Amino acid sequence: MFNQVSTNFHLYELIPSSQNMPNTMPAIVPKSKAPGVDFCGVNDYYYIVRSDLGCYMRSSNFNEGKDLNVYSLHPSCQGGEHYLAYQDDLFYIIKGGAYRRVSNMNMDAEAVVYNLHPNCQGGDHYLSAFGYFYIIFQSKGIYRRVTNMNTDSDAVEYSLHPSCRDGLYYWGIKDYYYFVKPHDEWGIQYYRTTNFNKNLDAVTYSFHPDVVNFLPGGLAITQGSAFGTWEAIKTISNDSNTPITWNKKITRKVGYDKEKMSSIEHNWSVSISASYQSGALTEAIAKYQFSLTTQYGGKSVNTEQENWSEATDVEESVSLTLQPKEKIYIWQYQLGLGKKSVLFCRDMKFNDNPNPPTEVPLPPSNQ
């Protein structure tokens, strides 16, 4: 066995195994498992709110990927449990037993806070259309329609049509309701109807890939599921009959390959705070994707402590003593999407086995 001199690395004895890759198509994360994520709409625009990332996307057409603008969420508008829009110019942010009404989520303009009537609390989804507010209680298979969520005025309850019950997200505009259906063989789609009780005038649309990229879990659908792998970056051999000391520098790439991910933002007009400049939005989306479970195309790892600056070559000195006929393999852990590595981690391991290590060197995520 070789003697390892460098203290920067770890010897790892290994049990051979193959990399585990998900066999099923990844799914979009539903609202119930994505705190701070929601949809809402006004007459001319649809919105996807990513309070978890501190921003939202506005589009005039999800199907065609038109007018994709990303804005910062004002701090006072962050942390909402539900987001909905009323008519042309009002947004509602529900948190606990209260809601905040603003005319602009980027500036928190004209903010007013009201109590949410007890009968309007505890909904799974909230939306507005046809001049009403709707609270959907999915487990009960019903929805409540009111003209005022503070007073529960003109309240009526209806049964949800079976075809309208399993939506992942719901939103409305002036004359239509929309909801996102679970991923099926046709991909990620959304549905439009004029009546949740009778499922009238139902139409199906697909999301444009540029919109899917902004959805929670969407990167796995457009780029491929997340993977983690140990890549062999160097092999050292002692073919002689006497021990030798190998003392050299190893060059490896460490950091985030922004260029590979930059295409995600190409059709987005990003107008957000300085904290998200220079590709940091796609970085945040990638971190989120890696944190998800395999069901949603993730790897269940927390990458916050990794080096997310632009990937660069790093040199490290290594000193090893190899016994006669011994061969040493040097591995680096990498994370990627689909078939391309995008995050080159700091972890390196040495072993005398040609099979890669099996452990995951990153802490588990809380997703």
Side-chain angles (χ1 to χ4, degrees), residues 43-228:
N43 289 347
D44 296 323
Y45 294 105
Y46 307 124
Y47 296 82
I48 302 170
V49 178
R50 293 294 305 265
S51 181
D52 59 321
L53 303 181
C55 59
Y56 61 93
M57 173 179 280
R58 188 187 75 181
S59 173
S60 61
N61 191 307
F62 281 158
N63 175 248
E64 298 176 11
K66 283 187 174 180
D67 306 314
L68 301 180
N69 292 275
V70 180
Y71 302 95
S72 296
L73 265 177
H74 188 279
S76 296
C77 297
Q78 295 181 23
E81 296 162 13
H82 304 277
Y83 291 80
L84 64 149
Y86 180 78
Q87 304 291 23
D88 248 350
D89 57 0
L90 292 174
F91 298 88
Y92 292 72
I93 302 120
I94 296 174
K95 188 184 297 186
Y99 61 90
R100 187 181 192 88
R101 190 189 73 188
V102 300
S103 60
N104 185 303
M105 293 188 293
N106 174 245
M107 298 184 290
D108 193 42
E110 303 177 71
V112 187
V113 176
Y114 298 92
N115 288 324
L116 195 62
H117 190 279
N119 292 340
C120 298
Q121 296 182 25
D124 297 299
H125 303 273
Y126 291 77
L127 65 128
S128 177
F130 302 98
Y132 295 97
F133 297 96
Y134 297 83
I135 303 103
I136 294 175
F137 300 91
Q138 275 181 305
S139 61
K140 299 178 182 178
I142 62 172
Y143 62 97
R144 187 178 188 86
R145 189 189 76 183
V146 300
T147 55
N148 187 302
M149 294 188 295
N150 172 247
T151 59
D152 194 39
S153 302
D154 307 307
V156 186
E157 288 193 351
Y158 299 92
S159 296
L160 278 167
H161 188 277
S163 297
C164 302
R165 288 186 181 183
D166 59 350
L168 306 180
Y169 298 88
Y170 291 78
W171 76 99
I173 61 173
K174 183 179 179 181
D175 296 320
Y176 293 105
Y177 312 114
Y178 292 87
F179 58 98
V180 181
K181 291 282 271 187
H183 200 126
D184 61 18
E185 66 271 22
W186 303 110
I188 178 70
Q189 300 179 111
Y190 61 102
Y191 292 71
R192 189 186 78 184
T193 178
T194 57
N195 189 303
F196 278 147
N197 176 244
K198 300 178 180 178
N199 194 31
L200 300 177
D201 308 308
V203 183
T204 303
Y205 299 94
S206 60
F207 281 100
H208 191 280
D210 291 333
V211 177
V212 175
N213 283 330
F214 196 74
L215 298 177
L219 280 190
I221 293 174
T222 62
Q223 309 293 314
S225 293
F227 66 85

Side-chain angles (χ1 to χ4, degrees), residues 267-335:
N267 294 321
W268 299 355
S269 176
V270 181
S271 305
I272 51 182
S273 63
S275 62
Y276 269 143
Q277 295 307 308
S278 186
L281 177 56
T282 53
E283 172 189 321
I285 293 174
K287 285 180 183 178
Y288 178 86
Q289 188 65 55
F290 289 135
S291 75
L292 297 173
T293 63
T294 55
Q295 179 183 359
Y296 304 112
K299 191 61 183 170
S300 297
V301 293
N302 184 327
T303 59
E304 289 291 340
Q305 299 306 313
E306 286 302 308
N307 182 355
W308 281 90
S309 58
E310 182 68 57
T312 56
D313 289 336
V314 175
E315 278 192 347
E316 297 207 40
S317 298
V318 176
S319 182
L320 301 171
T321 299
L322 283 77
Q323 300 304 314
K325 309 300 182 183
E326 188 173 31
K327 184 178 288 188
I328 302 302
Y329 300 87
I330 304 177
W331 307 88
Q332 180 188 22
Y333 195 72
Q334 301 175 7
L335 286 169

